[in-house]
């Protein structure tokens, strides 16, 4: 609990601060809970679906979801990734978190290891451990791109999969084609040596990418890919718990994997993804919330922080930024931020990486404008110009 | 995997039969997927909520769910039990199945034992084993009530909980106040000796009870009680995955347990119960689908079975009936039923050979339509 409690702890400290100083005087950048609303079209579709109210629309369906919805998604995936996805390759899940859990339960045996590039979303650790697996965090490069040599060294007989997340929480980095090709080469090399490894790709932020940065087609770079995504961010539906698993058409015997996923979703208590939102999201695969809005926020905040002297890798996607802490002990630093400027962020150790802190900038623009002065003052006080 | 696959295996064989003989000629009693629709008032309320389009209504909320919804549910439990429930005691979950997993993850250490009366809903085994627990099956009496003596003998130092499910799947039995008091008294004995054993009560069917039979409030009978329920059956929303955990206010240091469940809800990947459905169900705690419809179906299927010569305990609730198989081998018998156009699940799928389960949450005409086939099968075995 110690390591994961950070996001929530900061959130709760924030609530206390808000009570003391008033909401408008607190700058809470601790939670990835976007303030945006779902696309208007989607809200209309939701009302229309409920007004039509087809008989049986709230009943159980197959554990993997409605076939017509999976068909719609498969069509989208086929267009996007140029591979022969069918409805059978799509498995509706209760968001990304639900999808990852049923995938991990389906592929892991007790003691199997899963490599996760560090820093990482701390929940991955729990997801892996819940199903008897062992997490092997592997440090990334200074750019937060994958360190292929380090991944190579971390692979052993027990390694079952590598779990990546791009665009990345907490760094906002998008893995380059070169990086992913390097990873694929390594995994293919291992295959030749008789060791088969899955690539699990958490694609929750895949539509939140700035400056037309390329999101490499992971399904074409490696064959044994299981992608897990959600509509929490792109359609701004985090509370509704809706997402899906996309199994690469390159994976043999997809039926066996789907049966395992069905069993896992029943055994873990998900049973199926929520019915109503399955029906709604099928038609919105090409939509997304306004990216430019996020991009503007990223630009303002990134430019202000770097101008003030913070060291930070420029985020290419998602809505997180992961600057270096000016003080070696980032815990001390975030307490200063909180005390002196009422700015709430999450310490890097909440993501397995001390000496950094995470800013979630999915907040109203006024909050971003309002916080700039605070960061500037803090920088003047604590960043020693070298 | 093998023991769980019966329901699905039967379902799939059924699909083949339907193709072969035509859907109208196959009488499928395998799945507990009710054909009932949610109450009309609920459907209206759902449209009203989405039309009102409150800002932020699809965002994350606290992992335990919306406070005002939990307060509505707490109020319901205050009225029912006269115990001081507050919203803190209610955690919104992804149905009963989600709620059971959350509770078991919260209370079990590896190798801890959980007692389950048999026959039982086979998923319980997976829920327990997911979190390192060991299931200890204890046979019920011949009419499927709790055998308190056997339960007492099954308790060991590692026993952490007993799961009860009343009204019961697959038998339709509702536990009486007396037997629950009996259970409470042996658990209280253990408590005095220093061992706390939770009653984990799966009440997914609690509103589907016939002939006005009393449903004892377990919270008033035993302190260390956790209730898990869902709105899959009473509000006919199984596909939407909405339910909740209610933790007794009488549990000592209950806040530890409450915090553990909220944490488990997150790390098991549920995060929170679906937002829109949470907003919906708070106001419908007193409502239910039409019980009389189910009761008519229960009476019909029960009478058909009796007239066909089956030995069967009359269900008091839920929408399942669990007759004896005329031959010992229930799998063989279910295959025989199949040849006579009837699809059922063998008792072995619920840990009890020699029986079979019929889920009668289907159209009444389907039940009537199956009469001649049950009669035929019954006649065959009387010969």
């Amino acid at each position: 609990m110690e390591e994961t409690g950070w996001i929530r702890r900061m959130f709760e400290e924030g609530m206390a601060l808000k009570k003391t100083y008033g909401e408008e005087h607190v700058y809470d950048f601790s939670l990835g809970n976007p303030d945006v609303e779902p696309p208007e079209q989607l809200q209309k579709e939701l009302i229309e679906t409920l007004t039509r109210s087809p008989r049986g629309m709230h009943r159980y369906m197959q554990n993997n979801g409605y076939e017509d919805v999976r068909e719609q998604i498969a069509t989208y995936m086929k267009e996007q990734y140029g591979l022969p996805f069918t409805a059978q390759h799509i498995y509706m899940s209760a968001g990304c978190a639900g999808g990852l859990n049923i995938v991990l339960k389906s592929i892991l045996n007790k003691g199997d290891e899963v490599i996760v590039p560090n820093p990482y979303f701390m929940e991955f650790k729990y997801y892996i451990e819940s199903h008897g697996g062992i997490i092997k965090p592997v440090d990334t490069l200074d750019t937060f791109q994958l360190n292929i040599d380090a991944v190579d060294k971390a692979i052993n007989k027990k390694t079952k999969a590598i779990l990546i997340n791009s665009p990345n929480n907490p760094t906002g980095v998008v893995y380059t084609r070169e990086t992913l090709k390097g990873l694929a080469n390594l995994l293919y090399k291992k295959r030749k040596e008789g060791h088969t490894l899955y690539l699990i790709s958490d694609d929750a932020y895949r539509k939140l990418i700035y400056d037309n940065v390329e999101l490499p087609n992971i399904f074409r770079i490696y064959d044994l890919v299981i992608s897990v995504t959600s509509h929490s961010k792109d359609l701004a539906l985090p509370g509704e718990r809706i997402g899906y698993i996309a199994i690469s058409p390159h994976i043999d015997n997809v039926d066996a994997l789907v049966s395992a996923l069905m069993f896992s979703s029943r055994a873990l208590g998900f049973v199926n993804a929520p019915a109503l939102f399955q029906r709604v999201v099928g038609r919105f695969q090409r939509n997304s919330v306004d990216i430019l809005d996020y991009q503007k926020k990223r630009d303002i905040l990134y430019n202000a922080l770097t101008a003030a002297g913070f060291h930070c890798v420029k985020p290419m996607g998602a809505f997180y930024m992961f600057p270096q802490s000016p003080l070696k002990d980032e815990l001390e630093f975030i307490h200063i931020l909180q005390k002196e400027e009422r700015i709430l962020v999450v310490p890097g150790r909440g993501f397995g990486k001390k000496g950094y802190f995470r800013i979630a900038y999915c907040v109203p623009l006024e909050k971003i404008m309002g916080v700039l002065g605070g960061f500037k003052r803090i920088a003047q006080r604590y960043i020693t110009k070298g | 995997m093998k023991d769980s696959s019966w329901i699905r295996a039967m379902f799939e064989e059924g699909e083949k039969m339907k193709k072969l003989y035509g859907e109208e000629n196959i009488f499928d009693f395998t799945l507990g997927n009710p054909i009932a629709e949610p109450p009309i008032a609920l459907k209206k309320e759902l449209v009203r909520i989405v039309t009102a389009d409150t800002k932020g209504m699809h965002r994350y909320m606290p992992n335990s769910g919306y406070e005002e919804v939990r307060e509505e549910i707490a109020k319901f439990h205050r009225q029912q039990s006269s115990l001081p429930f507050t919203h803190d005691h209610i955690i919104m979950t992804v149905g009963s199945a989600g709620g059971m997993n959350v509770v078991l993850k919260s209370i079990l250490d590896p190798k801890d034992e959980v007692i389950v009366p048999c026959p039982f809903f086979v998923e319980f085994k997976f829920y327990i084993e997911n979190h390192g627990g060991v299931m200890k099956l204890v046979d019920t009496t011949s009419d499927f009530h709790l055998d308190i003596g056997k339960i007492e003998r099954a308790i060991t130092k590692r026993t952490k909980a007993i799961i009860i499910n009343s009204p019961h799947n697959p038998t339709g039995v509702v536990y009486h106040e007396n037997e629950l008091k009996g259970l409470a008294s042996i658990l209280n004995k253990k408590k005095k000796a220093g061992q706390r054993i939770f009653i984990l009560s799966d009440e997914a069917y609690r509103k589907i009870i016939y002939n006005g039979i009393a449903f004892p409030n377990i919270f008033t009978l035993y302190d260390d009680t956790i209730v898990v329920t869902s709105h899959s059956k009473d509000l006919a929303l199984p596909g939407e995955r909405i339910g909740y955990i209610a933790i007794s206010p009488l549990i000592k240091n209950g806040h530890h347990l409450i915090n553990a469940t909220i944490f488990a809800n997150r790390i098991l990947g549920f995060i929170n119960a679906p937002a829109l459905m949470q907003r919906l169900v708070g106001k419908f705690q007193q409502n239910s689908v039409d019980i009389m419809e189910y009761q008519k179906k229960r009476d019909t299927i029960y009478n058909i079975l009796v007239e066909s010569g089956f030995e069967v305990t009359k269900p008091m609730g839920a929408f399942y009936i669990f007759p004896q198989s005329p031959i010992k081998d229930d799998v063989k018998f279910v295959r025989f039923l199949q040849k006579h156009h009837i699809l059922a699940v063998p008792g072995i799928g619920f840990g009890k050979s020699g029986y079979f389960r019929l889920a009668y949450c289907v159209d009444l005409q389907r039940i009537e339509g199956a009469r001649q086939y049950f009669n035929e099968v019954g006649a065959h075995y009387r010969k």
Side-chain angles (χ1 to χ4, degrees), chain A residues 98-112:
Chain A
L100 283 169
N101 271 282
I102 64 176
V103 167
L104 290 166
K105 167 126 184 138
S106 301
I107 68 168
L108 292 183
N109 293 311
K110 206 170 159 57
D112 281 350

Side-chain angles (χ1 to χ4, degrees), chain A residues 4 37 43 56 58 105 240, chain B residues 37 53 56 58 130 240 266:
Chain A
T4 175
E37 293 293 316
Q43 307 203 35
H58 303 293
K105 167 126 184 138
E240 306 298 353
Chain B
E37 288 289 309
D53 189 27
H58 304 294
N130 282 339
E240 305 298 353
R266 213 183 85 214

Side-chain angles (χ1 to χ4, degrees), chain A residues 4 34-35 37 43 53 56 58-60 101 105 123 130 239-241 266-268 270-272 275-276, chain B residues 4 33 35 37 43 53 55-56 58-59 101 105 123 127 130 238-241 266 268 270-272 275-276:
Chain A
T4 175
D35 71 322
E37 293 293 316
Q43 307 203 35
S53 190
H58 303 293
R59 288 183 204 157
Y60 288 123
N101 271 282
K105 167 126 184 138
E123 311 290 274
S130 280
E240 306 298 353
R241 314 310 306 136
R266 268 173 38 221
L268 290 175
F270 293 101
V271 186
N272 55 253
L276 174 61
Chain B
S4 103
N33 190 8
I35 58 146
E37 288 289 309
K43 290 184 150 194
D53 189 27
K55 211 165 141 60
H58 304 294
R59 288 186 205 157
N101 270 282
K105 172 100 183 167
E123 314 285 279
Y127 301 166
N130 282 339
E240 305 298 353
R241 315 307 305 132
R266 213 183 85 214
L268 291 176
F270 300 113
I271 314 291
N272 55 251
L276 177 59

Side-chain angles (χ1 to χ4, degrees), chain B residues 110-131:
Chain B
K111 303 274 158 61
D112 277 350
E113 296 173 4
V114 180
I115 291 175
V116 177
C118 186
F120 70 109
F121 181 47
V122 78
E123 314 285 279
F124 288 162
K125 176 166 188 281
F126 304 111
Y127 301 166
I128 293 164
E129 291 174 355
N130 282 339
H131 312 296

Side-chain angles (χ1 to χ4, degrees), chain B residues 153-203:
Chain B
R153 287 191 292 280
I155 294 175
T156 72
K157 285 208 170 61
R158 300 241 48 161
T159 306
K160 199 49 111 19
I162 172 164
I163 294 178
I164 58 172
N165 167 223
S166 167
H168 187 254
N169 177 10
T171 65
V173 158
V174 176
Y175 297 145
H176 305 303
E177 183 161 336
N178 267 343
E179 64 192 305
L180 293 173
K181 278 185 172 161
L183 176 63
S185 100
I186 60 165
L187 298 183
N188 279 325
K189 243 194 305 185
K190 293 290 167 189
K191 194 172 184 176
K192 270 198 196 125
Q195 181 179 12
R196 174 164 75 172
I197 301 174
F198 292 105
I199 290 183
L200 175 48
S201 179
D202 174 351
E203 300 188 355

